[in-house]
Amino acid sequence: MNEELLKLIEKSCVIDTKALAARTGEDEDKLAAEIRELQAAGILCGCHALINWDEANDERVTALIEIKVTPHKELGYNRIAARISKIDEVSAVYLMSGAFDFTVIITGKTMREISRIVMDKLAIIDAVESTATHFILKKYKENGIEFVQSADDRRMSITP
């Protein structure tokens, strides 16, 4: 597996194979074949743009929900996660260690909308014992990309 290639794609999925070949020193056709293999193996799972919705003036609320569950024999963690994943507003589901079992990320237009999703779609799942909702107030960094540049940088700028 070409870890360097995966890291480059992870940073910017819009890089074409010609640019990737130039950066890695690999043959373009070989890289294109490797990308197809990574997709077929389920290693390269998609390509998404990271949008700073605050700057786009599109009001959105994101919440992190902690969920405690009691998995039944026939409804293990994987099946519970699959059921949660089917909820349209859910953007991420993670199995956790520690005080709760799942972390779920939901985005909606308002806090009330997210509350309804939690009450009407998450909390009603049989295995769910409890939920704790945390609203994200401001995003500073996501997927390795910083949204906010520090205004406190008092270093002198150096120009050539």
Side-chain angles (χ1 to χ4, degrees):
M1 178 180 353
N2 189 336
E3 189 175 333
E4 181 185 7
L5 175 63
L6 288 173
K7 286 180 180 180
L8 287 170
I9 292 171
E10 185 176 41
K11 285 185 179 181
S12 180
C13 65
V14 294
I15 299 175
D16 63 9
T17 52
K18 187 174 184 176
L20 285 170
R23 286 182 133 177
T24 62
E26 299 281 337
D27 176 68
E28 186 178 349
D29 292 333
K30 180 183 172 201
L31 280 178
E34 189 170 355
I35 289 169
R36 285 190 298 275
E37 288 173 17
L38 290 168
Q39 290 168 330
I43 295 168
L44 186 56
C45 300
C47 181
H48 304 276
L50 181 59
I51 298 169
N52 185 347
W53 290 106
D54 290 341
E55 293 300 318
N57 293 321
D58 186 333
E59 293 295 322
R60 291 173 185 241
V61 178
T62 303
L64 181 149
I65 296 110
E66 300 172 353
I67 302 176
K68 282 183 134 181
V69 300
T70 302
H72 306 301
K73 282 184 183 179
E74 62 279 348
L75 192 68
Y77 287 119
N78 291 343
R79 288 194 182 176
I80 297 167
R83 189 158 173 204
I84 293 169
S85 295
K86 287 184 183 356
I87 299 170
D88 289 335
E89 297 85 358
V90 170
S91 62
V93 180
Y94 305 103
L95 181 63
M96 307 297 293
S97 64
F100 54 94
D101 300 301
F102 290 104
T103 295
V104 175
I105 308 294
I106 293 179
T107 301
K109 290 286 185 187
T110 64
M111 288 183 183
R112 179 168 285 161
E113 180 182 349
I114 288 176
S115 297
R116 284 191 188 115
I117 294 164
V118 171
M119 288 186 304
D120 298 342
K121 296 181 180 182
L122 279 175
I124 64 165
I125 296 172
D126 291 337
V128 171
E129 285 181 27
S130 65
T131 65
T133 302
H134 307 275
F135 290 100
I136 295 173
L137 302 177
K138 184 172 184 73
K139 291 182 184 179
Y140 292 96
K141 185 174 183 178
E142 187 171 349
N143 292 344
I145 306 295
E146 290 185 48
F147 287 148
V148 178
Q149 300 299 322
S150 175
D152 296 330
D153 191 354
R154 296 189 178 135
R155 297 177 291 176
M156 289 180 26
S157 65
I158 299 174
T159 57

